[in-house]
Amino acid sequence: MSATRADPRVRAPFGRRAATVTGAERHGPYVVLRCADPAGPRPAAGQFYMLTAGTRWGGGQDERPFLPRAFSVLRAAVGSDELQFMLEDVGPGTRRLCELEPGEELLLVGPLGRGFVAPREGRRALLVGGGVGIAPLAILQDQLPQTSTVLLGFRDGAHAAGSQLLADPRVATDDGSVGHRGLVTDLIEQELAADPHAELFACGPPPMLEAVRALCADRAIPGQLALESGMACGYGACFGCVVATRDGYLRLCLDGPVLEAARLGRVR
Ligand code: FES
């Protein structure tokens, strides 16, 4: 991995820069947006970017401009200037980003935050994701030198199309239309029963992350959780992303989004 346990952070160039959209592909309800970012460094797995469409970003008649949206990077191949992001249309800002077409401009700031670090010596990596939260696990899988086990959960078969973005996943769906019927935590239990010497790397909705955190605490297994929070600035200025930890309050955009599970009392 490019990041070390001591400093899992790749620093962003100062200011916002323009990247050109090079592609957009649908995977069920998700859109994978590709762009060329020749002026930026290669990000570490788990870092994020603040994204803004270059045009039609709110601000129409009787409208305010939208705030930038924070997205974990999905993929960033070494030796290429391409960045990929996984989007889901859940509101006006994400809808506009999902509409972007090749040749349009994407404005970005990043990479930001602290990402994942390599698994502890001798532990196998279990990558656990839910919904659009699977995004940082794809770049993590790419960057890990060893083979990882990937466990993904989705609400239904349409959303499970996102599982194609990672290699060799085991899938759980709430409705049983693809893979295991039930929660992705059922798959974690199965994997730990076969070999408990693991470290969990997780990203997804808060109930899933809380289940992973509790499981790590119960079994004394290390875990790294990529948390989500509303982020207005992305670099520590607005205090909009504060989360409570056992060490006190942290700004997730600076000290996260990836935190050790043991630092958290509860994920909300
Ligand atoms: Fe502004 Fe974290 S998003 S301080």
Side-chain angles (χ1 to χ4, degrees):
M1 295 177 71
S2 56
T4 66
R5 183 164 286 279
D7 187 2
R9 188 190 303 270
V10 174
R11 304 279 172 178
F14 186 73
R16 191 167 72 168
R17 59 189 183 277
T20 303
V21 174
T22 55
E25 301 155 9
R26 286 212 161 265
H27 295 263
Y30 304 114
V31 172
V32 172
L33 191 68
R34 299 170 182 265
C35 68
D37 177 32
R42 297 286 80 191
Q47 288 194 293
F48 70 96
Y49 288 72
M50 301 299 288
L51 303 185
T52 305
T55 58
R56 294 196 291 116
W57 189 245
Q61 201 169 11
D62 301 326
E63 244 185 357
R64 292 183 190 168
F66 304 144
L67 289 170
R69 298 296 195 269
F71 287 93
S72 295
V73 62
L74 171 74
R75 199 154 257 139
V78 175
S80 153
D81 64 9
E82 184 180 88
L83 297 177
Q84 297 181 23
F85 299 96
M86 182 177 181
L87 314 176
E88 186 175 14
D89 174 359
V90 293
T94 49
R95 185 167 311 137
R96 174 65 189 120
L97 292 170
C98 287
E99 288 171 0
L100 285 171
E101 294 182 352
E104 289 196 271
E105 193 173 70
L106 181 68
L107 302 175
L108 53 82
V109 179
L112 298 167
R114 299 170 73 93
F116 296 107
V117 294
R120 289 160 174 81
E121 186 71 28
R123 288 188 178 266
R124 69 181 180 126
L126 287 186
L127 279 50
V128 182
V132 74
I134 70 172
L137 304 181
I139 180 172
L140 178 62
Q141 188 179 40
D142 291 346
Q143 291 188 358
L144 283 174
Q146 63 273 67
T147 306
S148 51
T149 300
V150 180
L151 311 174
L152 304 178
F154 299 93
R155 74 178 73 149
D156 54 30
H159 287 79
S163 66
Q164 299 158 356
L165 298 169
L166 282 92
D168 300 323
R170 292 185 65 195
V171 176
T173 48
D174 296 350
D175 65 2
S177 54
V178 177
H180 169 76
R181 179 194 290 271
L183 300 176
V184 71
T185 43
D186 301 339
L187 302 181
I188 303 175
E189 298 275 7
Q190 292 172 12
E191 288 291 336
L192 293 179
D195 177 5
H197 208 62
E199 181 161 352
L200 271 55
F201 298 78
C203 186
M208 189 207 91
L209 289 182
E210 171 54 18
V212 173
R213 183 208 62 76
L215 195 148
C216 288
D218 289 348
R219 309 257 188 131
I221 291 173
Q224 300 179 37
L225 309 185
L227 303 184
E228 289 182 11
S229 169
M231 290 191 187
C233 71
Y235 44 76
C238 73
F239 285 73
C241 63
V242 168
V243 293
T245 72
R246 296 185 192 280
D247 311 318
Y249 290 104
L250 299 178
R251 281 169 289 175
L252 209 53
C253 66
L254 287 182
D255 299 304
V258 177
L259 296 177
E260 289 283 340
R263 296 181 75 183
L264 298 164
R266 188 171 183 83
V267 179
R268 298 175 195 279

